[in-house]
Amino acid sequence: MAAFDEKDYTRSFDWSIWKRLTPFVRPFRRDFVGMLVFNGLCALVDVAIPLFQRYAIRNFIQADSLRGIVPFSLAYLLVIVLQALSVVAFARNSMTIEMNMGRDMRRSLFHHLQTLSFSFYNVTPVGYLLTRVMSDTNRIAGMVAWNLTDILWALFYVLGTFAAMLILNWRLALVVIVIVPVMAVLTGYFQNRILRWNRKVRKLNSRITGSFNEGITGATLGTEEQTVRTFRALTQEMHDAGIGAARLNAIYIPLVLFASTMAVAIVLLRGGYMVSGGLLELATLSTFTTYAVGIFEPIQMTAANIAEFIS
């Protein structure tokens, strides 16, 4: 099993594995469509909120006037309510997908296990099977329901934000867009390495679960010392793998924060000169700053979610 696991740590992404989920996904097509629609609506609202900020600065703060603030407030309240309803709707769809997919996969696995030969059970630890049937089905259903939701929202939000920035001022928008390739390189470099450690942790977790089962059944067979040594070795290996992943994250996250902070600083510097030269409104600079602060977290989140699918 160890050789198989080691090979598994470095395997590439295989779409054929995920295609096997099609029978479990097909019954919930309506929920997926609803999740897609309400995710897009929620992202659209998130993109629109800084534009309300721009309008308020231009028409109320800079104009030193409260004319039109009542209809503005009502419109803003309507948008916030729309956002809240969208979140409730796509969360309900995602919850339906997660609960039902997990149930269906466990049922299917249970029936499949009844058809396997005794020789299979002689060479496969029961704890390993329990991890696959319980923990892994929950994880897969959660990934399809929630990680996919995050990816869709981030995609809609990033595309909408880029479009809004290009429409407002394409020169300043390019300053933010240029940072994105730097984020992509950093993310690709670190996520591939973090992915290997995370795969190792998950495989070791399965083996530890199997060791638990063997420890319980072996307690009456006089193999306690050997079982304890094996269990200690596995837990130490899992500890080391977790530390390896944590160290990479400790480097990756500060670098991403630095890149995003630099983007905001460049926007403020360049935008400040443009405002002082009369080439840009202060309200627009405020909106750009909000977009620059918010756009990199979805990119980072998307990379992490894609890595989760690959693992």
Side-chain angles (χ1 to χ4, degrees):
M1 185 183 295
F4 171 78
D5 286 346
E6 192 64 38
K7 181 179 178 181
D8 245 7
Y9 300 154
T10 57
R11 75 186 189 277
S12 59
F13 181 65
D14 187 357
W15 271 111
S16 64
I17 296 176
W18 286 96
K19 287 180 181 178
R20 297 178 187 176
L21 291 177
T22 302
F24 302 103
V25 171
R26 191 178 293 117
F28 311 107
R29 291 189 296 268
R30 291 184 178 179
D31 294 293
F32 274 99
V33 171
M35 183 177 68
L36 179 69
V37 170
F38 290 114
N39 249 300
L41 185 59
C42 186
L44 181 63
V45 172
D46 289 332
V47 173
I49 286 176
L51 298 178
F52 277 88
Q53 170 186 320
R54 176 173 179 261
Y55 183 91
I57 293 174
R58 176 196 286 177
N59 292 276
F60 303 135
I61 298 176
Q62 288 184 308
D64 194 19
S65 171
L66 294 180
R67 287 188 58 186
I69 195 169
V70 173
F72 170 83
S73 300
L74 292 175
Y76 187 78
L77 178 61
L78 179 63
V79 168
I80 295 301
V81 171
L82 182 63
Q83 181 187 45
L85 293 176
S86 299
V87 171
V88 170
F90 80 67
R92 182 177 180 180
N93 288 322
S94 295
M95 185 66 70
T96 299
I97 294 169
E98 180 185 18
M99 293 296 103
N100 288 284
M101 272 192 65
R103 177 202 62 195
D104 293 348
M105 284 190 290
R106 283 188 290 274
R107 287 177 176 175
S108 178
L109 279 171
F110 180 80
H111 289 301
H112 177 67
L113 288 172
Q114 308 310 304
T115 66
L116 299 178
S117 64
F118 287 110
S119 60
F120 172 81
Y121 291 102
N122 286 334
V123 298
T124 307
V126 175
Y128 187 86
L129 294 176
L130 287 174
T131 300
R132 292 290 176 261
V133 174
M134 300 304 297
S135 299
D136 287 2
T137 53
N138 286 334
R139 178 170 169 260
I140 291 170
M143 286 168 57
V144 173
W146 297 106
N147 292 58
L148 183 59
T149 296
D150 290 340
I151 291 173
L152 290 173
W153 173 83
L155 178 63
F156 291 139
Y157 177 78
V158 170
L159 292 177
T161 298
F162 280 152
M165 288 192 296
L166 288 169
I167 292 171
L168 290 174
N169 190 295
W170 66 269
R171 292 181 178 85
L172 198 57
L174 291 178
V175 173
V176 179
I177 294 173
V178 165
I179 305 295
V180 173
V182 178
M183 290 279 293
V185 171
L186 283 174
T187 298
Y189 178 83
F190 281 96
Q191 286 296 335
N192 285 336
R193 284 152 181 80
I194 294 171
L195 174 61
R196 293 180 184 177
W197 286 110
N198 287 338
R199 281 177 174 172
K200 189 170 184 177
V201 168
R202 291 191 181 99
K203 294 299 179 183
L204 288 167
N205 182 61
S206 297
R207 292 173 63 188
I208 288 173
T209 305
S211 182
F212 265 121
N213 178 75
E214 293 169 7
I216 294 171
T217 57
T220 59
L221 300 177
T223 60
E224 295 91 340
E225 291 185 6
Q226 176 62 35
T227 301
V228 169
R229 285 196 295 268
T230 301
F231 186 78
R232 284 179 177 175
L234 286 172
T235 53
Q236 183 61 44
E237 193 176 354
M238 184 174 177
H239 167 270
D240 295 340
I243 292 296
R247 285 174 177 169
L248 285 173
N249 273 308
I251 300 172
Y252 167 63
I253 294 175
L255 286 176
V256 169
L257 292 175
F258 176 76
S260 60
T261 302
M262 284 298 298
V264 175
I266 294 171
V267 166
L268 289 173
L269 179 63
R270 175 64 178 165
Y273 279 116
M274 294 175 71
V275 169
S276 63
L279 302 175
L280 186 72
E281 289 184 317
L282 181 62
T284 302
L285 176 59
S286 175
T287 303
F288 262 92
T289 303
T290 302
Y291 282 142
V293 169
I295 198 171
F296 292 105
E297 183 178 354
I299 295 174
Q300 180 185 357
M301 179 178 66
T302 300
N305 283 324
I306 291 175
E308 186 78 5
F309 271 98
I310 295 174
S311 66

